Amino acid sequence: MKRITIKDLSKFLSLSTSTISRALLNDKNVNEETRKRVLDAAHTLGYKPNLTALSLQSGHSKTIGVVVPEMITPFSARVLKGIQNILYPIGYRIIITQSDEDPMIERKNLQLLEEFNVDAIIINLCHETQNNDVYQSIMDLGIPLVFFDRIPHKSLDVSKVIVNDYITASLMVEYLIKTGRKRIVHIMGPSTIRNVTERMNGYKRILMKYNIFDENLIIQTNGMTFQDGKDTIKQLLNRNIEFDSIFAFSDTLAMGAMHYLLEQKIRIPEDVAIASFSGTELSSMVYPQLTSVQQPLEKMGEIAAELALEKIKDNSMPSRSIMLDAELVYRAST
């Protein structure tokens, strides 16, 4: 079946193509009666708008790009639900890309979204500084960037939605100490992510406060996977380093560590307590259920979308940084 075009509508209604286009874009210069005729005819003939062409005429694509590091865990999906809550009811579409924790893939994704003429980009980066030049060049083109969870170097003036990683990590580590734990391992994650350093600093501050800090208990991983968490704890056990608890940067790292401990017949939480940061559904889907810092992920997505809409409306508006509260959820792993 032949695709119905604006030219077909023009012939059917005996109106100019420019009048048809303006009516479809709700141009105030087209009277209501004409607009209704155009819309009725479009419905009758089965006209589907060429969104690329319309975006060129209106200056807006009604599309927002989203870049996330991974889609394996529920983290990104929960944030996306929040973004959709705000954007879908007002007619926006979302293009989702995944960097797979690779700055070069993230770079290509950003360039792709630029080519798609998106109105704004919402991003959870995978490296604090490596793609700063791309972020800046995209903003120089007038495309707003809004960051959530992981944020770029402070030299970039951007809107962002975060939680206080330093404080919430401190509170979780202090909770472990108050339950009697003194040899607390911290599985860090890659240092190229600012959150990793913030959470480590929170961990370190509390252990130094209680005079039980041991640098040998900080283990940095190269990745963020289940296997990275598993390998870290295997390494500690092979080195005969004693520990009675673990605070992991993420749920996946904590779950990998938990899996290896259980394989070695080490009891959780009797022998080793485990806590993590992120608080996705994964933390309640393992046994024993995982104590975690639970971030308001859906709310994070909603606010990121609202910040993007603010910038689309007026890109000269000052950038805003929104800090959300996170909740410590205590479960059976501690």
Side-chain angles (χ1 to χ4, degrees):
M1 182 177 176
K2 178 178 175 289
R3 181 186 178 99
I4 302 299
T5 67
I6 286 179
K7 287 183 178 179
D8 295 320
L9 289 176
S10 173
K11 185 177 180 181
F12 181 78
L13 294 168
S14 298
L15 293 171
S16 69
T17 54
S18 60
T19 299
I20 300 288
S21 296
R22 290 199 301 272
L24 291 171
L25 290 168
N26 292 320
D27 190 307
K28 63 182 180 180
N29 294 316
V30 177
N31 68 56
E32 184 59 28
E33 182 183 347
T34 301
R35 191 180 74 85
K36 187 176 185 307
R37 282 183 63 207
V38 171
L39 294 178
D40 287 346
H43 178 73
T44 300
L45 298 179
Y47 168 75
K48 296 284 190 281
N50 182 326
L51 296 172
T52 302
L54 288 176
S55 72
L56 290 172
Q57 294 175 50
S58 67
H60 292 289
S61 65
K62 295 285 281 188
T63 302
I64 288 182
V66 179
V67 184
V68 296
E70 52 85 21
M71 289 292 289
I72 299 170
T73 71
F75 185 99
S76 297
R78 289 281 306 281
V79 176
L80 283 166
K81 186 175 188 304
I83 293 171
Q84 292 169 350
N85 290 345
I86 300 300
L87 297 181
Y88 280 179
I90 58 175
Y92 272 85
R93 297 162 300 155
I94 300 170
I95 301 175
I96 303 164
T97 65
Q98 174 183 292
S99 68
D100 199 26
E101 299 285 3
D102 185 331
M104 291 310 297
I105 295 176
E106 177 187 282
R107 195 178 190 91
K108 290 176 182 177
N109 289 341
L110 288 165
Q111 291 165 345
L112 175 69
L113 293 172
E114 178 191 327
E115 290 169 7
F116 269 99
N117 194 35
V118 295
D119 293 336
I121 297 173
I122 299 171
I123 177 171
N124 189 9
L125 57 74
C126 61
H127 192 291
E128 183 181 351
T129 59
Q130 192 158 326
N131 285 332
N132 273 13
D133 60 327
V134 183
Y135 305 149
Q136 188 61 62
S137 68
I138 286 174
M139 290 189 292
D140 289 344
L141 291 171
I143 302 173
L145 262 67
V146 175
F147 291 80
F148 69 90
D149 186 43
R150 305 178 190 176
I151 58 176
H153 190 268
K154 60 185 179 181
S155 61
L156 283 181
D157 178 26
V158 294
S159 290
K160 47 193 177 288
V161 191
I162 53 175
V163 299
N164 194 320
D165 292 273
Y166 178 80
I167 294 298
T168 44
S170 298
L171 292 172
M172 181 57 82
V173 174
E174 191 153 37
Y175 161 74
L176 290 173
I177 292 171
K178 288 181 178 178
T179 61
R181 311 292 172 165
K182 294 183 179 179
R183 299 281 298 168
I184 305 171
V185 169
H186 181 42
I187 305 177
M188 272 186 69
S191 61
T192 52
I193 303 168
R194 180 185 294 191
N195 310 49
V196 168
T197 303
E198 290 291 315
R199 292 174 198 176
M200 187 276 291
N201 286 339
Y203 158 90
K204 184 176 179 179
R205 180 180 76 88
I206 294 301
L207 292 184
M208 292 186 74
K209 172 184 171 182
Y210 287 90
N211 200 30
I212 54 174
F213 176 67
D214 182 351
E215 202 168 87
N216 292 317
L217 295 177
I218 298 178
I219 307 295
Q220 188 163 35
T221 65
N222 292 321
M224 300 281 292
T225 67
F226 178 92
Q227 189 63 45
D228 289 312
K230 191 173 181 178
D231 291 344
T232 296
I233 295 307
K234 182 179 181 180
Q235 176 187 342
L236 280 176
L237 291 175
N238 288 342
R239 289 165 55 194
N240 294 316
I241 294 178
E242 293 184 7
F243 58 95
D244 58 22
S245 51
I246 298 168
F247 172 55
F249 174 78
S250 69
D251 290 345
T252 47
L253 292 173
M255 289 169 59
M258 179 186 289
H259 189 265
Y260 189 75
L261 290 173
L262 293 173
E263 281 183 344
Q264 304 307 306
K265 311 300 183 187
I266 296 172
R267 299 172 302 166
I268 301 170
E270 293 85 357
D271 300 325
V272 176
I274 302 182
S276 72
F277 207 113
S278 286
T280 67
E281 289 90 335
L282 291 177
S283 56
S284 59
M285 292 169 63
V286 293
Y287 182 82
Q289 292 189 349
L290 188 60
T291 290
S292 65
V293 176
Q294 189 163 295
Q295 300 178 84
L297 301 178
E298 193 169 326
K299 185 68 174 175
M300 186 177 284
E302 290 174 349
I303 293 176
E306 289 168 353
L307 291 175
L309 291 172
E310 281 183 7
K311 285 285 192 176
I312 291 169
K313 185 177 180 180
D314 183 359
N315 205 5
S316 66
M317 285 187 66
S319 296
R320 294 205 290 148
S321 180
I322 307 296
M323 186 170 289
L324 303 178
D325 292 327
E327 179 185 4
L328 272 62
V329 179
Y330 310 114
R331 299 190 180 96
S333 67
T334 56

